[in-house]
Amino acid sequence: MKIRTLLMACALLAFASIAAFAQVGRIEGDVIKADTKEPIVGAEVVIERTDIKGSYPVKSDKKGHFLHAGVPFVGTYTVMISAPGCEPTFLTGIRPDREQLKVELRPGDGRKLTMDDVKSTQASMKSGGGGAPQKQISEAEAKKQQAEYEKKRKEIEEQNKKLQADFEGMKKFFESGLAKMTAKDYAGAAADLNEAAKLDAEQYAIWANLALALFNKGVTDFNESTKDPARRDPAKQAFNDAINASGKAIALTEPKLADPAKAPEAKKQMVTSVKIKADAEGLLAKRLGVMEMVDPAVKDYQQIAEMAELPADKLKYQLAGAEVLFDSGKAEEAVAAYTAILATNVDNPDALYKLGLAYASVAKFQESANTFQKFLDRAPETDPRVPEVKAVLKDLVVGNNLQPPKSEGKKAPARGKKP
């Protein structure tokens, strides 16, 4: 029996834009009381950019430490520090990503400095006047900082170039993979999408489409295995790889479910990915005898049944889970699953048909006959299973000396899916 490739296509999402590394640095240090090692908690530290306008205020923590890790790397700064009961001070010519600053505050009036105060103090010091103490940076230290800055800038530029190259390469592999999948070259599609995933492992669209390509490759290999048994192992591998790829897509989707703005789209993505995973697990169990995949498949079908918004979709996934149990030889569990489905879908011919078979598999022949009669009462005469069920029902009654089940009469044609 051949199985079909999935004809649906995963909704292709726009790539998350790859932002170049922001060229930012950090300014940090410790504030202590002068001539002691006692930290000053809650000291106000105002980091002012002096080449262009920019202000970055922070406060020292309980250890007297302060940190701002988001200041633009290209820039020079003046750092003004004040605290209650202390004389303020300032440091000039500060660049990010240098050594930590050590600031000592002496007792004072606790006032706060402004940039005008700093400029006034600097002007006064140039003319020989007094002013607040400040840290002067030597020419050698300034050159060292400039060299470090240039080195870091070049590193960031190289990182940005690599990111851009990776993005272009990923995009090329992704588009090639989709084109090959459209052409039903599933092995080629999987190879290209794998390369795309190596370049950017955080894209849901890559993993979802990779899972789909691998699933379809597994179906193709399995169908060919009827002629060439050597294709069974590649089919198993493809289905297992599809499960892994689906797992990556699911992991990227789950965090979005908690965000009200992202949840609707994330829910659709989750259903798509879990279904591919469940289908791969189900085929491994039903067609390739990998029995450890039965329970995961049933669990995954149940998950998407619970997420389904339309009753028809909910029923479809419940039936799929029950079918995995039945086709894998777990007839008792299948009886329970189909019975549960019929509790809320009493006229469903698919569940009645499979429940009749499941009862027969566990030698509950009277229950099987009764269920098959219900199927005949509800299924339209055009249902291709009707002649088969009539013959089976007759054999059940005669061969097992059963009480012929009573017909309830034909009901309105039910809209059951075709087998």
Side-chain angles (χ1 to χ4, degrees), residues 67-298:
L67 165 67
H68 198 300
V71 296
F73 196 83
V74 180
T76 54
Y77 300 86
T78 290
V79 181
M80 297 175 287
I81 309 97
S82 60
C86 296
E87 180 182 355
T89 190
F90 64 89
L91 311 174
T92 60
I94 304 300
R95 289 189 182 277
D97 295 317
R98 55 155 290 154
E99 65 208 37
Q100 293 189 22
L101 304 173
K102 184 178 180 180
V103 181
E104 296 185 1
L105 296 184
R106 299 184 178 280
D109 56 10
R111 66 190 177 90
K112 299 177 184 179
L113 295 177
T114 66
M115 282 303 297
D116 287 340
D117 294 330
V118 172
K119 291 174 183 177
S120 175
T121 300
Q122 288 176 319
S124 176
M125 293 183 71
K126 285 182 180 179
S127 62
Q134 62 172 313
K135 182 173 182 177
Q136 299 294 328
I137 297 178
S138 68
E139 183 178 351
E141 187 176 359
K143 286 182 179 179
K144 179 182 177 183
Q145 288 185 17
Q146 183 65 28
E148 291 175 349
Y149 162 74
E150 291 296 333
K151 179 182 177 182
K152 189 69 175 179
R153 183 179 62 80
K154 289 179 181 179
E155 288 176 356
I156 291 173
E157 287 179 353
E158 289 302 315
Q159 288 171 332
N160 287 339
K161 288 179 182 178
K162 183 178 184 303
L163 271 178
Q164 186 61 35
D166 286 350
F167 176 77
E168 293 299 330
M170 178 271 288
K171 186 170 178 288
K172 180 179 178 181
F173 278 120
F174 181 78
E175 291 174 347
S176 175
L178 295 187
K180 288 179 181 178
M181 186 144 55
T182 300
K184 298 185 178 182
D185 175 9
Y186 300 124
D192 284 348
L193 291 167
N194 256 318
E195 292 301 317
K198 290 177 184 177
L199 294 170
D200 188 348
E202 301 301 313
Q203 296 285 354
Y204 163 83
I206 294 176
W207 290 110
N209 282 282
L210 175 57
L212 182 60
L214 288 164
F215 176 85
N216 286 337
K217 179 182 182 299
V219 170
T220 302
D221 286 333
F222 175 79
N223 289 337
E224 291 298 320
S225 70
T226 57
K227 302 174 184 176
D228 179 7
R231 298 285 290 271
R232 288 178 65 86
D233 284 341
K236 284 185 180 180
Q237 186 62 55
F239 286 137
N240 278 302
D241 290 343
I243 292 167
N244 291 333
S246 295
K248 297 289 182 63
I250 291 166
L252 290 171
T253 304
E254 283 178 331
K256 300 176 186 176
L257 293 171
D259 184 340
K262 298 178 181 178
E265 184 61 30
K267 188 174 180 181
K268 294 178 184 177
Q269 294 175 359
M270 181 67 77
V271 170
T272 296
S273 298
V274 177
K275 184 180 184 304
I276 295 172
K277 182 170 177 281
D279 287 346
E281 292 163 341
L283 288 175
L284 280 170
K286 296 187 299 181
R287 300 290 181 260
L288 291 163
V290 185
M291 295 303 292
E292 59 266 31
M293 286 295 172
V294 174
D295 290 342
V298 173

Side-chain angles (χ1 to χ4, degrees), residues 6 274-283 285-287 293-305 311-328 333-334 337-338 341 348 350-351 354 417:
L6 290 181
V274 177
K275 184 180 184 304
I276 295 172
K277 182 170 177 281
D279 287 346
E281 292 163 341
L283 288 175
K286 296 187 299 181
R287 300 290 181 260
M293 286 295 172
V294 174
D295 290 342
V298 173
K299 180 180 177 181
D300 285 338
Y301 279 127
Q302 182 60 37
Q303 178 184 348
I304 51 178
D313 288 337
K314 183 180 183 70
L315 174 60
K316 176 176 68 176
Y317 298 132
Q318 289 175 328
L319 287 168
E323 183 178 293
V324 171
L325 293 168
F326 180 78
D327 288 357
S328 300
E333 291 90 337
Y338 285 119
I341 292 170
N348 184 264
D350 299 302
K354 283 297 184 67
K417 70 177 183 179

Side-chain angles (χ1 to χ4, degrees), residues 20-41:
F21 278 130
Q23 297 188 21
V24 295
R26 57 198 287 139
I27 293 177
E28 65 179 311
D30 297 295
V31 184
I32 62 174
K33 291 182 179 180
D35 303 322
T36 74
K37 293 184 179 180
E38 184 181 347
I40 297 178
V41 180

